[in-house]
Amino acid sequence: MRKILITTGGSGGHVIPAKIIYEHLSNDFDIFFSTDLRGFKFFSSENYKIEIINTPKIRFNIFFPINLIKLIYLIAKSIFFLKKEKIDKVISIGGYMSLPVIIASKILGLIIILIEPNMVLGRGNRFFLNFAKKILCYSDNIYNFPKKHIHKIELIKPLVSKSFYDLRADKNLNNKFCFLIVGGSQGAKIFDELIKDVIFDIAKKFSIKIIQQTSKENIDNLKKFYDDKNIENQIFDFEKKFHQIINFSDLCITRAGASSLAEMSLLNKPFIAIPLPSAKDDHQLENANFYLGKGCCWVLDQKTLSHDKLLEFLLNLLNNKSELVDKKSNLEKLNYNNSWSDINKKLVRAINEN
């Protein structure tokens, strides 16, 4: 069986697509991962073959000489690992965490395939494109993409775990209107502080349920707030069965990480995206605009968002649900003919090509 290394790390935005690639390829290839320590926590206790390549950020400061020595060591470590395990091809989800592995792969003459889940080309992938054979993207209209490498783009549907495809037939699960609030793997303090008060005001007029992600430290406080207001709630920090949580919702309020939006889209759940203002190169805004352009969501600017503005917006949606129906219809059109098997065949074919 041919051996593939998937190099990833950092946030869930890099690790989740890597794990979905594993789902697609593990029956046809022997899969290894490399990740830094930040990314390792997203693998939990599952039985993966993982090599820790804890890449430092290379910045021109007093730590630059030390980090440069670390980088050279990690390149050597990556070369040794790739040769020892007889890796045939390398797949990178981007990010500086993959730098030693990509350089080592180039030195060894291995085929490198990139994945870009965002609508803005990441800085890591922009550099890695010089060494890669192809890059798999969700659109051929990626911001900051160099024209000289445009021929390397190969289009795929957004990467979503098979568990989401298995739930797509479920409908009308609630007797109360259910909000799902998701801050993403990096959290969202504004969701804890602003949205809970808006939900309380909505609950005075409508029968609702709230499912909300927060930090582990804030779970008890947030649950007590909703319990004291007699609002049905489910509060969590990380949930392995996240596909089931999304499936129970009627409307999602979310950051705009590529994986989260793809998951909500696949389950035909209308969502309000509030992009993270500090996201590199504003990639979350462009992710959200991709779905906004297809009539599948709403996009709100955190910088101008207030309690009254959000409350008015949500009350208008609940008083006139035709907009929700339209968004759901557009999501169904977007996901027409989107099947796990089709994506699987395309990925396997892309990996097998020399």
Side-chain angles (χ1 to χ4, degrees):
M1 188 178 285
R2 300 173 71 185
K3 295 184 176 182
I4 303 292
L5 174 69
I6 303 174
T7 174
T8 184
S11 67
H14 287 98
V15 178
I16 291 171
K19 293 173 72 173
I20 296 169
I21 292 290
Y22 174 88
E23 285 187 68
H24 278 286
L25 301 182
S26 58
N27 289 333
D28 299 278
F29 303 94
D30 190 6
I31 306 293
F32 295 77
F33 287 97
S34 71
T35 179
D36 61 0
L37 291 174
R38 288 194 306 146
F40 183 70
K41 65 184 179 183
F42 292 98
F43 287 93
S44 63
S45 60
E46 286 122 327
N47 190 27
Y48 298 113
K49 300 175 184 176
I50 299 175
E51 180 74 6
I52 300 297
I53 305 290
N54 199 34
T55 310
K57 280 189 176 181
I58 305 298
R59 292 172 173 164
F60 291 101
N61 54 29
I62 60 173
F63 299 106
F64 176 74
I66 296 173
N67 287 336
L68 186 59
I69 292 170
K70 286 182 181 178
L71 178 62
I72 294 170
Y73 164 74
L74 291 173
I75 293 171
K77 178 180 179 180
S78 299
I79 291 174
F80 177 78
F81 175 79
L82 292 167
K83 291 180 72 173
K84 178 174 72 90
E85 298 297 344
K86 298 182 172 63
I87 301 296
D88 293 301
K89 294 184 180 180
V90 172
I91 300 173
S92 173
I93 318 297
Y96 73 89
M97 305 79 62
S98 298
L99 181 59
V101 175
I102 295 298
I103 293 176
S105 302
K106 177 63 178 176
I107 291 172
L108 295 175
L110 300 180
I111 291 177
I112 300 167
I113 298 171
L114 307 179
I115 308 286
E116 181 52 76
N118 292 301
M119 295 303 296
V120 177
L121 184 66
R123 298 175 191 182
N125 273 346
R126 187 179 177 89
F127 176 67
F128 301 156
L129 265 174
N130 296 297
F131 314 126
K133 180 179 178 62
K134 65 180 71 174
I135 180 168
L136 307 182
C137 305
Y138 302 163
S139 168
D140 56 6
N141 187 26
I142 302 292
Y143 283 80
N144 295 337
F145 201 98
K147 291 182 179 179
K148 66 179 180 179
H149 293 307
I150 201 77
H151 64 282
K152 295 184 179 182
I153 290 181
E154 193 163 319
L155 296 180
I156 60 170
K157 293 287 187 181
L159 293 168
V160 176
S161 173
K162 191 173 185 300
S163 59
F164 285 83
Y165 285 87
D166 295 338
L167 278 176
R168 289 179 69 181
D170 293 342
K171 296 180 180 180
N172 301 322
L173 298 174
N174 300 312
N175 54 9
K176 294 181 178 181
F177 190 91
C178 183
F179 288 93
L180 170 63
I181 301 173
V182 184
S185 66
Q186 299 182 64
K189 200 170 182 182
I190 186 175
F191 286 25
D192 292 339
E193 296 175 350
L194 174 68
I195 295 180
K196 68 181 178 66
D197 293 322
V198 173
I199 292 296
F200 171 53
D201 286 338
I202 291 173
K204 297 173 184 176
K205 300 182 179 181
F206 293 92
S207 178
I208 62 171
K209 176 182 178 180
I210 178 75
I211 304 175
Q212 185 164 347
Q213 181 188 49
T214 188
S215 64
K216 184 176 293 186
E217 297 77 20
N218 193 47
I219 288 178
D220 290 341
N221 287 335
L222 195 57
K223 181 166 183 57
K224 184 177 186 305
F225 174 85
Y226 289 125
D227 286 345
D228 288 347
K229 308 296 191 226
N230 294 316
I231 300 171
E232 186 179 350
N233 67 86
Q234 179 181 343
I235 312 299
F236 68 101
D237 66 326
F238 177 78
E239 176 57 62
K240 286 187 176 181
K241 295 181 180 179
F242 188 53
H243 53 290
Q244 294 179 358
I245 286 180
I246 294 179
N247 207 39
F248 275 107
S249 67
D250 296 297
L251 175 66
C252 306
I253 303 175
T254 179
R255 286 302 194 194
S259 294
S260 295
L261 299 191
E263 291 163 355
M264 293 170 188
S265 168
L266 186 70
L267 293 177
N268 300 323
K269 299 298 180 179
F271 58 87
I272 299 168
I274 306 175
L276 183 68
S278 60
K280 282 186 179 179
D281 301 316
D282 232 358
H283 71 266
Q284 286 207 2
L285 176 61
E286 298 306 330
N287 291 344
N289 283 340
F290 173 77
Y291 292 96
L292 179 67
K294 298 181 183 298
C296 298
C297 73
W298 301 267
V299 180
L300 300 181
D301 184 356
Q302 177 175 317
K303 296 174 184 177
T304 61
L305 195 61
S306 65
H307 174 280
D308 291 345
K309 183 176 180 179
L310 182 58
L311 178 61
E312 181 183 7
F313 186 87
L314 293 176
L315 288 176
N316 285 338
L317 286 182
L318 292 174
N319 283 314
N320 180 12
K321 293 184 180 177
S322 61
E323 278 195 73
L324 280 167
V325 173
D326 288 343
K327 294 290 188 288
K328 194 173 185 69
S329 175
N330 290 334
L331 284 164
E332 290 170 352
K333 292 174 185 175
L334 178 65
N335 290 307
Y336 182 71
N337 283 339
N338 181 358
S339 73
W340 172 267
S341 61
D342 286 346
I343 298 174
N344 181 269
K345 290 173 185 176
K346 188 156 191 175
L347 283 171
V348 171
R349 185 170 63 248
I351 303 303
N352 278 327
E353 290 174 351
N354 293 320

